[in-house]
Amino acid sequence: MVLKILPLLLALMTSACSRGKTDPHVIADIPEASGICYSSGDNLLYVVGDEGNIYALSPEGKILRRKFLGKYDLEGIACDPKQHRLLAAVEGKEEVLVIDPERFKLLRTVKIKRDYKGKTLLKKDKKHGFEGITIDDQGDLWISNQSKHYYPHADPSVIVRIDDLSHKKAKISGIIDPRKRDISGLAWQNGYLYMVSDTNNRLYRYNMSQKRIDREVKLPKFAQEGVTFAPGGRLYFADDNGHVLMFDHKRAGSALQR
């Protein structure tokens, strides 16, 4: 049984009614912010938008750099400081963009093959596709995919593992069926896979060894499209309504990770 933690994010709930410059949790305004990650290598936040833009922000929310990468529907971004690169998920094309974090130069595009164990896992769907993306401690890539047509017995969101991005095409090497709708953002923290559901307004913790969600937190009603953790007790969300939000996750984080 999933352990539901009701009071964890009380501070978040008090600001659920409105978003904008008057909201103290809004640290930056970015059109259609759809993905976010924290890079420990340079102590920066990286954010992408639906219209093909990428941004570098200070942890306090100051926009330091911005670049238009092209006509990509960017739905998620992962920071990979070990290999000094950023990885962006492109919706509708089953592609991952490999990006130089310093110049925002597009290094290459990797096509993700749609088959897994002889079955089509990622079916074509004009209105759905890749959403969240993150990297685990072993360097494996995890991507959430939404579709009306999905893997047998799975809910409309599945999460796939990609081991190798060194070639023009990459294979799916594993699958997680969280049995939750609309998984729009992923983050890896302290050995756990975290996921947000925009439809359910929830932050989930997935236990890899137990192969199940073992914690969940109710979030305010906003367009959660990305999530990331940072040192100093900071929890960030990309809000598709045009904001980056920051909260104190010290209390929530300790409860989620106990």
Side-chain angles (χ1 to χ4, degrees), residues 69-128:
L69 289 176
K71 293 183 178 180
Y72 298 106
D73 186 357
L74 303 176
E75 290 293 335
I77 187 166
C79 296
D80 187 4
K82 292 182 179 179
Q83 296 200 36
H84 195 63
R85 63 184 183 178
L86 302 171
L87 305 173
V90 181
E91 185 178 24
K93 294 185 177 181
E94 292 99 22
E95 292 177 343
V96 172
L97 306 183
V98 183
I99 304 164
D100 174 9
E102 293 181 354
R103 296 173 293 165
F104 285 161
K105 179 182 178 181
L106 179 59
L107 301 177
R108 65 180 179 278
T109 300
V110 181
K111 188 76 174 179
I112 308 301
K113 294 184 178 180
R114 296 182 292 122
D115 296 338
Y116 177 66
K117 293 186 176 180
K119 297 181 179 180
T120 300
L121 174 57
L122 307 177
K123 293 190 176 182
K124 291 289 185 181
D125 189 329
K126 292 182 180 179
K127 295 184 178 180
H128 302 82

Side-chain angles (χ1 to χ4, degrees), residues 116-228:
Y116 177 66
K117 293 186 176 180
K119 297 181 179 180
T120 300
L121 174 57
L122 307 177
K123 293 190 176 182
K124 291 289 185 181
D125 189 329
K126 292 182 180 179
K127 295 184 178 180
H128 302 82
F130 284 177
E131 288 287 339
I133 184 171
T134 193
I135 299 171
D136 65 21
D137 295 333
Q138 286 72 45
D140 292 338
L141 189 66
W142 295 89
I143 303 173
S144 62
N145 184 83
Q146 299 173 0
S147 177
K148 292 181 180 179
H149 308 284
Y150 45 84
Y151 195 70
H153 311 300
D155 278 329
S157 287
V158 294
I159 302 170
V160 297
R161 183 181 68 211
I162 311 296
D163 294 340
D164 186 7
L165 291 176
S166 59
H167 304 289
K168 293 183 178 180
K169 293 185 178 181
K171 296 180 180 179
I172 297 171
S173 61
I175 176 176
I176 291 174
D177 173 15
R179 299 189 179 275
K180 300 295 181 183
R181 297 175 59 198
D182 196 13
I183 299 301
S184 55
L186 299 176
W188 186 267
Q189 175 77 356
N190 293 339
Y192 293 95
L193 179 64
Y194 288 85
M195 54 190 80
V196 290
S197 168
D198 187 18
T199 298
N200 295 339
N201 297 306
R202 293 291 193 276
L203 172 65
Y204 301 107
R205 187 183 82 171
Y206 188 85
N207 189 309
M208 303 296 284
S209 60
Q210 297 179 7
K211 297 181 179 181
R212 68 183 183 92
I213 291 173
D214 64 0
R215 299 286 191 275
E216 72 177 75
V217 172
K218 186 176 180 180
L219 299 173
K221 291 183 179 180
F222 65 96
Q224 303 102 351
E225 288 287 319
V227 61
T228 193

Side-chain angles (χ1 to χ4, degrees), residues 29-55:
D29 292 326
I30 291 180
E32 297 184 79
S34 54
I36 187 170
C37 67
Y38 169 77
S39 173
S40 59
D42 50 18
N43 190 34
L44 292 178
L45 297 167
Y46 291 95
V47 180
V48 290
D50 291 352
E51 297 179 351
N53 292 303
I54 184 171
Y55 304 79

